[in-house]
Amino acid sequence: IMIMSAHATFEKSAISKCVKFSREYDADNVGGVWRVCSRGSSILDRAITRALSHPFGVGNAHYRTVSEGDSRPRWVDTAAYGCYKREVFSKIGFFNENLKRSQDMEFNLRLRKAGGKTLLVPEVIINYYARSDFASFVKHSFRNGQWAILPFVYSDVVPVSPRHLVPLVFVSGLLSAGALSLVWSGGVWLLAAIAGSYGLLNLLTSVQVAWRERDIRYAFVMPLIFSSLHFAYGTGSLWGLVKAAGLLFSLRWTRPRQVSRAC
């Protein structure tokens, strides 16, 4: 059973390769790598696709960041979409329909907890067409941030990887340091340390992207894109915490109460 997306196209032989590697490696799930494509041609559109396929932008999401020429299959926590053995669904159940996003991630982590294996195959290329106009990019990142938190309400496993929580920690650290600076002079230095370290790393990574792409414009555009991605995702996760608390409270008080009856 294979998942495909309306936002993606698959190269020829993608399906047969998934089946081939599933048999060779005895993998329960086989996925390919994203070639993140822009829906527009401006420098801003192209910068967004670079951020969504760079480790500084998306962490250790291997299906996004595997370099060209690296064809080694590897075991991972999740992969782009997925080609599953039919018996997987008999073993661990179906996709969690309470989740509007992150269903595949939560499913793959349930699979892993049950002893199943997911194989990433760089030979399987998926052209993913990202939301590359700036407004849609920010909104999408904010929603993704929410759904890094909300699955905890509906899942019996830890439904995301640690990388999905890093923006939440970063934004929370900035806000906490900012609040501390109002009542404690050391808070200003803490805020400066967090913001300065992030800004320096952002700048260095942006220059590296510009050097790789042989286009100096990326050095000026990438800092905006990286910071927008991380801040939108992190604030989305904060809002997700608020919504999750509300959902947990609601579920607690709307769950039917058991009534004991005398025999």
Side-chain angles (χ1 to χ4, degrees), residues 164-197:
H164 295 97
L165 304 178
V166 172
L168 170 63
V169 174
F170 171 59
V171 172
S172 299
L174 282 176
L175 293 176
S176 299
L180 276 174
S181 67
L182 299 176
V183 296
W184 176 52
S185 59
V188 176
W189 293 105
L190 179 61
L191 178 62
I194 296 173
S197 299

mmCIF file of all heavy atoms in Angstrom, residues 164-197:
data_model
loop_
_atom_site.group_PDB
_atom_site.id
_atom_site.type_symbol
_atom_site.label_atom_id
_atom_site.label_comp_id
_atom_site.label_asym_id
_atom_site.label_seq_id
_atom_site.Cartn_x
_atom_site.Cartn_y
_atom_site.Cartn_z
ATOM 1 N N HIS A 164 11.356 18.100 15.712
ATOM 2 C CA HIS A 164 10.133 18.878 15.565
ATOM 3 C C HIS A 164 9.885 19.809 16.746
ATOM 4 O O HIS A 164 9.069 20.733 16.649
ATOM 5 C CB HIS A 164 8.930 17.943 15.401
ATOM 6 C CG HIS A 164 8.974 17.126 14.147
ATOM 7 N ND1 HIS A 164 9.435 15.838 14.116
ATOM 8 C CD2 HIS A 164 8.629 17.440 12.867
ATOM 9 C CE1 HIS A 164 9.364 15.369 12.888
ATOM 10 N NE2 HIS A 164 8.890 16.317 12.109
ATOM 11 N N LEU A 165 10.581 19.574 17.853
ATOM 12 C CA LEU A 165 10.370 20.382 19.056
ATOM 13 C C LEU A 165 11.437 21.452 19.244
ATOM 14 O O LEU A 165 11.298 22.304 20.122
ATOM 15 C CB LEU A 165 10.339 19.469 20.285
ATOM 16 C CG LEU A 165 9.288 18.341 20.236
ATOM 17 C CD1 LEU A 165 9.389 17.485 21.494
ATOM 18 C CD2 LEU A 165 7.883 18.899 20.074
ATOM 19 N N VAL A 166 12.481 21.424 18.433
ATOM 20 C CA VAL A 166 13.566 22.401 18.573
ATOM 21 C C VAL A 166 13.068 23.844 18.384
ATOM 22 O O VAL A 166 13.415 24.734 19.184
ATOM 23 C CB VAL A 166 14.722 22.079 17.610
ATOM 24 C CG1 VAL A 166 15.762 23.204 17.606
ATOM 25 C CG2 VAL A 166 15.381 20.760 18.005
ATOM 26 N N PRO A 167 12.256 24.161 17.354
ATOM 27 C CA PRO A 167 11.771 25.548 17.218
ATOM 28 C C PRO A 167 10.966 26.011 18.431
ATOM 29 O O PRO A 167 11.041 27.190 18.820
ATOM 30 C CB PRO A 167 10.904 25.501 15.954
ATOM 31 C CG PRO A 167 11.456 24.363 15.161
ATOM 32 C CD PRO A 167 11.837 23.339 16.194
ATOM 33 N N LEU A 168 10.206 25.106 19.050
ATOM 34 C CA LEU A 168 9.456 25.459 20.256
ATOM 35 C C LEU A 168 10.406 25.857 21.377
ATOM 36 O O LEU A 168 10.191 26.866 22.061
ATOM 37 C CB LEU A 168 8.591 24.274 20.687
ATOM 38 C CG LEU A 168 7.920 24.401 22.063
ATOM 39 C CD1 LEU A 168 6.947 25.563 22.084
ATOM 40 C CD2 LEU A 168 7.207 23.086 22.420
ATOM 41 N N VAL A 169 11.467 25.079 21.563
ATOM 42 C CA VAL A 169 12.450 25.390 22.608
ATOM 43 C C VAL A 169 13.125 26.728 22.316
ATOM 44 O O VAL A 169 13.320 27.557 23.228
ATOM 45 C CB VAL A 169 13.503 24.268 22.702
ATOM 46 C CG1 VAL A 169 14.612 24.648 23.675
ATOM 47 C CG2 VAL A 169 12.841 22.959 23.133
ATOM 48 N N PHE A 170 13.460 26.968 21.054
ATOM 49 C CA PHE A 170 14.138 28.206 20.667
ATOM 50 C C PHE A 170 13.259 29.427 20.924
ATOM 51 O O PHE A 170 13.681 30.394 21.575
ATOM 52 C CB PHE A 170 14.512 28.124 19.189
ATOM 53 C CG PHE A 170 15.013 29.407 18.601
ATOM 54 C CD1 PHE A 170 16.128 30.047 19.120
ATOM 55 C CD2 PHE A 170 14.365 29.994 17.518
ATOM 56 C CE1 PHE A 170 16.592 31.241 18.584
ATOM 57 C CE2 PHE A 170 14.815 31.176 16.977
ATOM 58 C CZ PHE A 170 15.922 31.805 17.504
ATOM 59 N N VAL A 171 12.027 29.394 20.437
ATOM 60 C CA VAL A 171 11.134 30.552 20.613
ATOM 61 C C VAL A 171 10.786 30.737 22.085
ATOM 62 O O VAL A 171 10.726 31.868 22.578
ATOM 63 C CB VAL A 171 9.866 30.369 19.750
ATOM 64 C CG1 VAL A 171 8.836 31.451 20.071
ATOM 65 C CG2 VAL A 171 10.216 30.419 18.268
ATOM 66 N N SER A 172 10.567 29.642 22.804
ATOM 67 C CA SER A 172 10.274 29.746 24.238
ATOM 68 C C SER A 172 11.455 30.361 24.986
ATOM 69 O O SER A 172 11.265 31.167 25.906
ATOM 70 C CB SER A 172 9.961 28.365 24.814
ATOM 71 O OG SER A 172 8.826 27.802 24.203
ATOM 72 N N GLY A 173 12.678 29.984 24.575
ATOM 73 C CA GLY A 173 13.865 30.555 25.199
ATOM 74 C C GLY A 173 13.969 32.049 24.970
ATOM 75 O O GLY A 173 14.292 32.814 25.893
ATOM 76 N N LEU A 174 13.683 32.480 23.750
ATOM 77 C CA LEU A 174 13.710 33.917 23.452
ATOM 78 C C LEU A 174 12.677 34.676 24.268
ATOM 79 O O LEU A 174 12.975 35.729 24.855
ATOM 80 C CB LEU A 174 13.451 34.140 21.962
ATOM 81 C CG LEU A 174 14.608 33.899 20.995
ATOM 82 C CD1 LEU A 174 14.124 34.088 19.561
ATOM 83 C CD2 LEU A 174 15.772 34.839 21.274
ATOM 84 N N LEU A 175 11.459 34.154 24.316
ATOM 85 C CA LEU A 175 10.389 34.837 25.049
ATOM 86 C C LEU A 175 10.688 34.857 26.547
ATOM 87 O O LEU A 175 10.457 35.873 27.225
ATOM 88 C CB LEU A 175 9.054 34.149 24.785
ATOM 89 C CG LEU A 175 8.513 34.256 23.351
ATOM 90 C CD1 LEU A 175 7.232 33.448 23.201
ATOM 91 C CD2 LEU A 175 8.257 35.716 22.979
ATOM 92 N N SER A 176 11.214 33.748 27.071
ATOM 93 C CA SER A 176 11.533 33.692 28.496
ATOM 94 C C SER A 176 12.650 34.665 28.849
ATOM 95 O O SER A 176 12.584 35.371 29.866
ATOM 96 C CB SER A 176 11.939 32.269 28.881
ATOM 97 O OG SER A 176 10.885 31.366 28.640
ATOM 98 N N ALA A 177 13.679 34.701 27.993
ATOM 99 C CA ALA A 177 14.775 35.634 28.240
ATOM 100 C C ALA A 177 14.303 37.076 28.143
ATOM 101 O O ALA A 177 14.727 37.944 28.920
ATOM 102 C CB ALA A 177 15.905 35.377 27.246
ATOM 103 N N GLY A 178 13.419 37.344 27.177
ATOM 104 C CA GLY A 178 12.871 38.698 27.054
ATOM 105 C C GLY A 178 12.078 39.097 28.279
ATOM 106 O O GLY A 178 12.172 40.245 28.756
ATOM 107 N N ALA A 179 11.271 38.174 28.809
ATOM 108 C CA ALA A 179 10.493 38.470 30.014
ATOM 109 C C ALA A 179 11.406 38.673 31.221
ATOM 110 O O ALA A 179 11.198 39.580 32.033
ATOM 111 C CB ALA A 179 9.506 37.334 30.274
ATOM 112 N N LEU A 180 12.450 37.838 31.320
ATOM 113 C CA LEU A 180 13.398 37.980 32.431
ATOM 114 C C LEU A 180 14.126 39.319 32.392
ATOM 115 O O LEU A 180 14.418 39.917 33.435
ATOM 116 C CB LEU A 180 14.422 36.844 32.391
ATOM 117 C CG LEU A 180 14.037 35.517 33.043
ATOM 118 C CD1 LEU A 180 15.106 34.473 32.776
ATOM 119 C CD2 LEU A 180 13.821 35.697 34.544
ATOM 120 N N SER A 181 14.415 39.786 31.175
ATOM 121 C CA SER A 181 15.149 41.047 31.045
ATOM 122 C C SER A 181 14.377 42.237 31.603
ATOM 123 O O SER A 181 14.962 43.284 31.897
ATOM 124 C CB SER A 181 15.508 41.292 29.577
ATOM 125 O OG SER A 181 14.348 41.529 28.808
ATOM 126 N N LEU A 182 13.056 42.082 31.750
ATOM 127 C CA LEU A 182 12.252 43.169 32.301
ATOM 128 C C LEU A 182 12.421 43.299 33.809
ATOM 129 O O LEU A 182 12.149 44.362 34.377
ATOM 130 C CB LEU A 182 10.773 42.938 31.964
ATOM 131 C CG LEU A 182 10.411 42.898 30.473
ATOM 132 C CD1 LEU A 182 8.935 42.565 30.300
ATOM 133 C CD2 LEU A 182 10.727 44.238 29.807
ATOM 134 N N VAL A 183 12.847 42.206 34.455
ATOM 135 C CA VAL A 183 12.953 42.227 35.916
ATOM 136 C C VAL A 183 14.349 41.886 36.411
ATOM 137 O O VAL A 183 14.624 41.977 37.606
ATOM 138 C CB VAL A 183 11.940 41.242 36.537
ATOM 139 C CG1 VAL A 183 10.509 41.672 36.244
ATOM 140 C CG2 VAL A 183 12.172 39.822 36.028
ATOM 141 N N TRP A 184 15.225 41.467 35.486
ATOM 142 C CA TRP A 184 16.577 41.049 35.873
ATOM 143 C C TRP A 184 17.550 41.469 34.793
ATOM 144 O O TRP A 184 17.362 41.157 33.617
ATOM 145 C CB TRP A 184 16.604 39.536 36.074
ATOM 146 C CG TRP A 184 17.953 38.965 36.377
ATOM 147 C CD1 TRP A 184 18.821 39.376 37.339
ATOM 148 C CD2 TRP A 184 18.571 37.858 35.704
ATOM 149 N NE1 TRP A 184 19.963 38.603 37.310
ATOM 150 C CE2 TRP A 184 19.825 37.647 36.324
ATOM 151 C CE3 TRP A 184 18.189 37.029 34.657
ATOM 152 C CZ2 TRP A 184 20.697 36.661 35.914
ATOM 153 C CZ3 TRP A 184 19.056 36.032 34.256
ATOM 154 C CH2 TRP A 184 20.292 35.853 34.873
ATOM 155 N N SER A 185 18.597 42.182 35.173
ATOM 156 C CA SER A 185 19.543 42.708 34.192
ATOM 157 C C SER A 185 20.250 41.600 33.424
ATOM 158 O O SER A 185 20.606 41.756 32.252
ATOM 159 C CB SER A 185 20.578 43.606 34.879
ATOM 160 O OG SER A 185 21.293 42.877 35.873
ATOM 161 N N GLY A 186 20.447 40.440 34.077
ATOM 162 C CA GLY A 186 21.094 39.324 33.396
ATOM 163 C C GLY A 186 20.261 38.762 32.266
ATOM 164 O O GLY A 186 20.789 38.104 31.358
ATOM 165 N N GLY A 187 18.953 39.024 32.296
ATOM 166 C CA GLY A 187 18.086 38.539 31.232
ATOM 167 C C GLY A 187 18.431 39.142 29.885
ATOM 168 O O GLY A 187 18.254 38.500 28.837
ATOM 169 N N VAL A 188 18.922 40.373 29.901
ATOM 170 C CA VAL A 188 19.316 41.031 28.650
ATOM 171 C C VAL A 188 20.470 40.278 28.006
ATOM 172 O O VAL A 188 20.485 40.054 26.784
ATOM 173 C CB VAL A 188 19.715 42.499 28.912
ATOM 174 C CG1 VAL A 188 20.228 43.149 27.636
ATOM 175 C CG2 VAL A 188 18.531 43.276 29.479
ATOM 176 N N TRP A 189 21.440 39.866 28.833
ATOM 177 C CA TRP A 189 22.590 39.137 28.299
ATOM 178 C C TRP A 189 22.187 37.746 27.810
ATOM 179 O O TRP A 189 22.706 37.261 26.802
ATOM 180 C CB TRP A 189 23.678 39.018 29.371
ATOM 181 C CG TRP A 189 24.268 40.347 29.716
ATOM 182 C CD1 TRP A 189 24.032 41.089 30.841
ATOM 183 C CD2 TRP A 189 25.180 41.103 28.922
ATOM 184 N NE1 TRP A 189 24.741 42.269 30.808
ATOM 185 C CE2 TRP A 189 25.461 42.307 29.637
ATOM 186 C CE3 TRP A 189 25.792 40.902 27.693
ATOM 187 C CZ2 TRP A 189 26.329 43.276 29.154
ATOM 188 C CZ3 TRP A 189 26.662 41.869 27.209
ATOM 189 C CH2 TRP A 189 26.916 43.034 27.928
ATOM 190 N N LEU A 190 21.264 37.133 28.519
ATOM 191 C CA LEU A 190 20.773 35.828 28.075
ATOM 192 C C LEU A 190 20.050 35.949 26.742
ATOM 193 O O LEU A 190 20.258 35.140 25.830
ATOM 194 C CB LEU A 190 19.840 35.244 29.136
ATOM 195 C CG LEU A 190 19.209 33.879 28.823
ATOM 196 C CD1 LEU A 190 20.286 32.818 28.650
ATOM 197 C CD2 LEU A 190 18.231 33.481 29.932
ATOM 198 N N LEU A 191 19.221 36.978 26.609
ATOM 199 C CA LEU A 191 18.511 37.213 25.358
ATOM 200 C C LEU A 191 19.488 37.480 24.224
ATOM 201 O O LEU A 191 19.346 36.943 23.110
ATOM 202 C CB LEU A 191 17.545 38.395 25.517
ATOM 203 C CG LEU A 191 16.753 38.802 24.275
ATOM 204 C CD1 LEU A 191 15.849 37.669 23.803
ATOM 205 C CD2 LEU A 191 15.923 40.062 24.569
ATOM 206 N N ALA A 192 20.494 38.297 24.516
ATOM 207 C CA ALA A 192 21.492 38.614 23.494
ATOM 208 C C ALA A 192 22.279 37.370 23.086
ATOM 209 O O ALA A 192 22.609 37.196 21.900
ATOM 210 C CB ALA A 192 22.441 39.689 24.020
ATOM 211 N N ALA A 193 22.566 36.497 24.044
ATOM 212 C CA ALA A 193 23.319 35.276 23.740
ATOM 213 C C ALA A 193 22.521 34.355 22.829
ATOM 214 O O ALA A 193 23.052 33.808 21.855
ATOM 215 C CB ALA A 193 23.690 34.560 25.035
ATOM 216 N N ILE A 194 21.235 34.179 23.145
ATOM 217 C CA ILE A 194 20.398 33.290 22.335
ATOM 218 C C ILE A 194 20.200 33.874 20.936
ATOM 219 O O ILE A 194 20.424 33.195 19.919
ATOM 220 C CB ILE A 194 19.028 33.065 23.011
ATOM 221 C CG1 ILE A 194 19.213 32.350 24.352
ATOM 222 C CG2 ILE A 194 18.110 32.247 22.098
ATOM 223 C CD1 ILE A 194 17.936 32.248 25.161
ATOM 224 N N ALA A 195 19.793 35.146 20.884
ATOM 225 C CA ALA A 195 19.525 35.777 19.588
ATOM 226 C C ALA A 195 20.811 35.923 18.777
ATOM 227 O O ALA A 195 20.810 35.702 17.553
ATOM 228 C CB ALA A 195 18.864 37.141 19.804
ATOM 229 N N GLY A 196 21.904 36.300 19.445
ATOM 230 C CA GLY A 196 23.164 36.483 18.728
ATOM 231 C C GLY A 196 23.704 35.188 18.150
ATOM 232 O O GLY A 196 24.183 35.152 17.014
ATOM 233 N N SER A 197 23.626 34.106 18.935
ATOM 234 C CA SER A 197 24.105 32.805 18.455
ATOM 235 C C SER A 197 23.295 32.339 17.261
ATOM 236 O O SER A 197 23.844 31.864 16.255
ATOM 237 C CB SER A 197 24.021 31.765 19.579
ATOM 238 O OG SER A 197 24.823 32.135 20.670
#
